[in-house]
Amino acid sequence: MRFLIQRTRSAAVHIDGIAVAESHSLGILILIGISPEDTAEDIEYLVKKATQLRIFDDEDGVMNRSILDVGGDIIAVSQFTLMAETKKGNRPSYIRAARPEVAEPLYDEVIRALEERLGRPIGTGRFGADMQVSLTNDGPVTIWIDSKARE
């Protein structure tokens, strides 16, 4: 499982021109890629890591605070293209992305785990939908975490 985390000043997800998730304050947008081998252990690792990453400034301007420390918003969006293989040719292969019947329940579990850690609902996209995701990346700060690359 992969998370691409972006520190934001604002973010939104639109489907068919309708905002389904919005944040107009400090937060993170998490794009989530799921593989067929992913388990609850991957979810636990990534959710804990994402919510404890010290990527927000303290009073001295040092990135020393987490999303939990600053009380920021989280928007999470499923994005199978994060699992793209690009070693051969110019057309990305998505063979490493989990099929929807595997990925959607895992995505739902990620959302539940993030909400539990944050202590309140988070914004989400809609699994499998054509979405328009917009954000103001603060910093810019963008962090890539792969649960299979822990060591």
Side-chain angles (χ1 to χ4, degrees), residues 1-58:
M1 188 173 291
R2 294 175 176 166
F3 278 14
L4 182 69
I5 301 167
Q6 297 179 80
R7 186 176 76 180
T8 62
R9 288 283 174 178
S10 64
V13 179
H14 288 82
I15 300 172
D16 295 328
I18 299 167
V20 297
E22 288 184 295
S23 171
H24 298 288
S25 62
L26 204 57
I28 57 176
L29 173 72
I30 305 174
L31 302 176
I32 303 165
I34 300 171
S35 77
E37 300 84 29
D38 291 330
T39 66
E41 185 179 308
D42 296 291
I43 294 169
E44 181 182 343
Y45 170 78
L46 287 173
V47 166
K48 183 177 179 183
K49 183 65 93 170
T51 56
Q52 292 181 342
L53 274 179
R54 296 185 313 172
I55 59 172
F56 294 93
D57 293 347
D58 63 15

Side-chain angles (χ1 to χ4, degrees), residues 117-139:
R117 294 273 305 169
L118 195 61
R120 58 188 163 90
I122 67 168
T124 66
R126 186 179 317 134
F127 188 89
D130 180 20
M131 297 174 273
Q132 291 70 52
V133 179
S134 59
L135 71 141
T136 301
N137 188 317
D138 184 33

Side-chain angles (χ1 to χ4, degrees), residues 27-135:
I28 57 176
L29 173 72
I30 305 174
L31 302 176
I32 303 165
I34 300 171
S35 77
E37 300 84 29
D38 291 330
T39 66
E41 185 179 308
D42 296 291
I43 294 169
E44 181 182 343
Y45 170 78
L46 287 173
V47 166
K48 183 177 179 183
K49 183 65 93 170
T51 56
Q52 292 181 342
L53 274 179
R54 296 185 313 172
I55 59 172
F56 294 93
D57 293 347
D58 63 15
E59 58 279 349
D60 296 321
V62 176
M63 285 196 288
N64 209 20
R65 293 192 172 143
S66 71
I67 191 75
L68 300 174
D69 296 330
V70 301
D73 294 331
I74 297 176
I75 295 178
V77 176
S78 176
Q79 187 173 352
F80 77 94
T81 60
L82 287 181
M83 303 311 293
E85 285 289 334
T86 58
K87 290 179 184 175
K88 291 184 177 181
N90 294 318
R91 183 187 307 255
S93 168
Y94 301 108
I95 194 88
R96 293 197 52 222
R99 303 222 11 101
E101 58 272 11
V102 172
E104 188 169 11
L106 289 171
Y107 170 71
D108 291 342
E109 183 58 26
V110 169
I111 301 308
R112 187 203 62 72
L114 285 167
E115 289 178 338
E116 186 175 297
R117 294 273 305 169
L118 195 61
R120 58 188 163 90
I122 67 168
T124 66
R126 186 179 317 134
F127 188 89
D130 180 20
M131 297 174 273
Q132 291 70 52
V133 179
S134 59
L135 71 141

